[in-house]
Amino acid sequence: MQRRRFLLALAGLAAVPASATEFAPVLPGRRLAFPADHGAHPDFRTEWWYATGWLKLPDGSPLGFQVTFFRVRTGLGEGNPSAFAPRQLILAHAAIADPHLGRLRHDERSARVGPGHADFDTGTTRVWLGDWRFELGPKGYHARIQGADFAYQLDLQPDGPPLLQGQAGFSRKAANPRHASYYYSRPQLRVSGQLTLDGTTRPVTGQAWLDHEWSSELMPEGAQGWDWIGLNLDDGSGLMAFRLRDAAGKALWSAATIRPAGQIGQVLPPEAVHFTPLRQWHSPRSGIDWPVVWGVQVGGRHFELQPLIDDQELDSRRSTGAIYWEGAVRALEDGREVGRGYLEMTGYGKRIRVG
């Protein structure tokens, strides 16, 4: 869907008419090329590097984590030669799903691209905002976050090449191919590093999923929000699935890709993907009812998704202007846990606003 980052309403900056700026189009047939496409694509309207996963403390206790960096071309100041003109913004979200606390610890930042504020590279993954960083090195990705009540430094090591979503990286979000993004994932990332909670730093290990996606299109007409999952299954495979839905909860477009261990990803048609909400959780802060337990059918497989904790609501109105649910989930098949990953839901309060 422009899956996640239709979130980028930009708190007013998206009020600049899209027609005033010529954003680069997403077109079928463009082949993603690496390592160049690990880097930023500043001619496009929005872009994000999005890592989510499960961590394990030395005593075996589980936690979830999220780190997201957004790059946004605002359409403002493009004729201004000043290095401080707000042509590009970087926004970032970070979170820890902490069962002992019973909710997310989370933080957010935003800044224009410029000296001393934030920046990105176009030849590789390297994006930073103040002392927050996400970058790709010879051995994998590295995330460094210092939040208000948590901090982490994590290394994320890929197990293989990028998983191209959709048609060789051209990921449609509607029947009209105009609504599309360039999109690839890195499932089954092996995680190690350090996590600081309540002033105590401990080593952690785990498993993660990375998405990198960029586009220039807004949400299709009639779309209220979306539901998305990225699952690392215990047999070594990776599964991504999403649906874009209307205000009544009806699917407008669905898609899925599964990559068996050591094999090429298999793209499934929209009719092979079904999301069914099974249980809701009512947020005492936003008043939103979030479906936190799901039945998901992908091809011939049926999964039940169970949250690590119900309260994984993230209020990002200070940066992206949205409230969304981003949470660690267990995947069960025939009552047995077969994998873990993350579930994202948007549009259950207000329709995602994008301009």
Side-chain angles (χ1 to χ4, degrees), residues 33-53:
F34 301 100
D37 279 326
H38 289 310
H41 302 81
D43 291 341
F44 292 80
R45 185 183 184 107
T46 59
E47 183 166 23
W48 50 90
W49 296 262
Y50 204 108
T52 55

Side-chain angles (χ1 to χ4, degrees), residues 242-256:
F242 72 80
R243 69 165 188 167
L244 206 65
R245 65 178 196 284
D246 64 15
K250 179 183 177 182
L252 300 175
W253 185 261
S254 301

Side-chain angles (χ1 to χ4, degrees), residues 188 207 230 258 283 338:
Q188 298 288 354
Q207 211 168 26
I258 187 166
S283 168
V338 295

Side-chain angles (χ1 to χ4, degrees), residues 54-298:
W54 284 65
L55 301 175
K56 184 171 65 174
L57 294 169
D59 65 1
S61 298
L63 299 160
F65 84 92
Q66 171 202 353
V67 56
T68 313
F69 280 84
F70 312 93
R71 179 208 53 79
V72 182
R73 184 182 175 192
T74 67
L76 299 176
E78 301 217 348
N80 187 339
S82 170
F84 297 96
R87 292 180 291 271
Q88 302 272 350
L89 300 180
I90 300 295
L91 305 94
H93 296 169
I96 292 290
D98 186 347
H100 292 291
L101 191 63
R103 60 170 174 81
L104 290 185
R105 301 172 186 258
H106 64 88
D107 208 343
E108 58 187 312
R109 294 189 178 185
S110 59
R112 69 180 182 273
V113 169
H117 295 288
D119 210 345
F120 54 81
D121 279 357
T122 57
T124 187
T125 299
R126 180 179 175 271
V127 58
W128 62 270
L129 201 170
D131 59 356
W132 289 22
R133 291 183 173 271
F134 190 74
E135 54 195 342
L136 177 62
K139 295 184 178 180
Y141 298 90
H142 180 74
R144 186 174 73 196
I145 297 295
Q146 178 67 58
D149 63 346
F150 66 94
Y152 53 76
Q153 294 197 48
L154 302 175
D155 294 313
L156 298 83
Q157 184 177 346
D159 76 333
L163 171 60
L164 304 185
Q165 301 292 358
Q167 300 169 342
F170 177 79
S171 176
R172 290 171 60 177
K173 316 304 180 186
N176 185 342
R178 170 175 171 264
H179 295 286
S181 68
Y182 296 123
Y183 177 18
Y184 69 86
S185 305
R186 308 299 298 266
Q188 298 288 354
L189 293 163
R190 188 166 70 247
V191 182
S192 61
Q194 292 185 325
L195 170 70
T196 301
L197 296 178
D198 301 321
T200 300
T201 299
R202 288 171 285 183
V204 289
T205 57
Q207 211 168 26
W209 180 289
L210 171 71
D211 277 348
H212 183 192
E213 193 167 5
W214 60 100
S215 182
S216 294
E217 286 298 328
L218 302 180
M219 199 134 81
E221 185 177 355
Q224 171 80 9
W226 61 85
D227 308 301
W228 169 93
I229 57 171
L231 301 178
N232 289 315
L233 301 179
D234 294 345
D235 62 6
S237 59
L239 169 64
M240 185 285 300
F242 72 80
R243 69 165 188 167
L244 206 65
R245 65 178 196 284
D246 64 15
K250 179 183 177 182
L252 300 175
W253 185 261
S254 301
T257 305
I258 187 166
R259 186 177 75 183
Q263 300 182 36
I264 298 174
Q266 303 169 4
V267 179
L268 300 178
E271 59 270 18
V273 183
H274 301 278
F275 284 72
T276 304
L278 301 178
R279 179 173 67 81
Q280 290 186 334
W281 167 77
H282 180 79
S283 168
R285 296 180 301 278
S286 69
I288 297 173
D289 291 318
W290 299 101
V292 295
V293 177
W294 285 86
V296 178
Q297 179 181 339
V298 181

